Amino acid sequence: MSDNDLASCAVQLKQGIPIGLPPAIIASVAADYRKALTDGAIKRKANEHAQKLKKAKEDALIRRVILTFVAIFVPAFCFWLAYEAPSVRLWYAKKQDTPEAYSKVMAEFAGTIHAIEAKRRYLELTDDSAWASASQTNTLQSLRSYLTGYPDGKHHAPAKDALFSLALPLWEETASEKVPENIAAFPEGFEEVAERFPVVPVLDKLWNEITTEKSLQKVASFRRLPPPIQSHWPIIATMRELASPEWEQVKKARSLERIAEFDRNYPQLRQWYKAEEARELLYNDPSWVKEQDQLAHYQRFVASHPKHKDTPSMQKRIIDLEVAAIAAGDHGALPKAEATGQSRGARTIIALKNDTGYELTVRFSGTESTKVVLAQRTAQSVDLPNGTFKVAASVDASHVANYYGTDVYKGGVYDLSFYISSSPLNLPGDYLPSPLEN
């Protein structure tokens, strides 16, 4: 019996319609029908479960698609938003078209092409008001601020005219001072209108004046100009021409100071006027050396001319000046030499003894100035005319003080000994202080 037949019989039985079948068959039909109902319920449940699984898979697929979309789209959208935000802000500023709106874009997106475009429009909108403020104030600072802040401004021409009007009195004052380097440098302070200052014509007029005046010092001042400007005039040639008589005056003055001043003022002329040669001429001139009467000049001459006829007298003068230098500086008191016998004769013998551990130099300045150098632990005598002498003693050790004193020699023999003790340089009968210890 088919499922349809079973279902039909089941309906008839349920409605109480007689089927005309034996009870056993009817019971079998009912059993089959119940079994069919059970199988159908199972199938429906299976179908429902399959539908649920299918729907769950579809939902999972949809979620994966959504998550994938979000993972790709959201970063891309954020990147786009970050890139396009300045454009959006600029677009909004253009809609408003006010300086305030553009200034916000300039502040928030400085350095971007959007800020540059916003600034261009901002300057266009504020050009008139900025110029009105600058022209009303009419100061160097306000005019320069306008020219710098609005490089393409509509009012550059009147702004430059106003700036030049303010600078003109300063230019005229600078030109009247006639200092070439100041005239040449003036336009640098007004670079916005630098081309309006006639630097070269003003300097050319000044050049004609000073060359007519024949002032070497003023001509030399043109050498302090920038090289491109210097090329307009024959500065070096003119300096050489004017320097010749002045150099002759310097040489006639026989002054190291004048030579040094000339050399310092005109270094460009050193290849023609040689200051060092002029100095050497003076150093080797005995009359000039004596006129100067300076220790260094005497020493230089004597060293260079040991056989010159004036060398002996200069050597004595060197001793006098060395003794004077010791006397003028820090020194210890040198006691008088002790006479060892009766005074007799017109000359005096000084017996010197060096018991120090250093080379000793003893200088006698008087009618016959002389110098004696004694090696350590040696003795030597010196023959001097009677009279008063200034005496100075020193050793070749910087930590031992010099000593100075005066003495009167009356003939005969005198002893003068030097030695180092706990207080070093000592003479008979006296204990002299000294920086040397032990």
Side-chain angles (χ1 to χ4, degrees), residues 104-116:
K104 290 180 180 180
V105 176
M106 292 159 53
E108 293 180 16
F109 305 102
T112 66
I113 57 173
H114 308 88
I116 294 173

Side-chain angles (χ1 to χ4, degrees), residues 134 137-148 163 166:
T137 307
N138 197 38
T139 63
L140 292 175
Q141 183 177 359
S142 64
L143 294 172
R144 280 173 167 164
S145 295
Y146 172 77
L147 291 170
T148 303
L163 182 63
L166 294 177

Side-chain angles (χ1 to χ4, degrees), residues 306-338:
K307 296 183 179 181
H308 194 277
K309 64 183 182 65
D310 291 316
T311 294
S313 62
M314 289 187 184
Q315 289 174 328
K316 292 181 179 180
R317 185 57 183 156
I318 288 173
I319 294 171
D320 294 339
L321 293 175
E322 288 177 339
V323 171
I326 291 175
D330 293 333
H331 62 270
L334 189 69
K336 301 181 183 303
E338 292 186 353

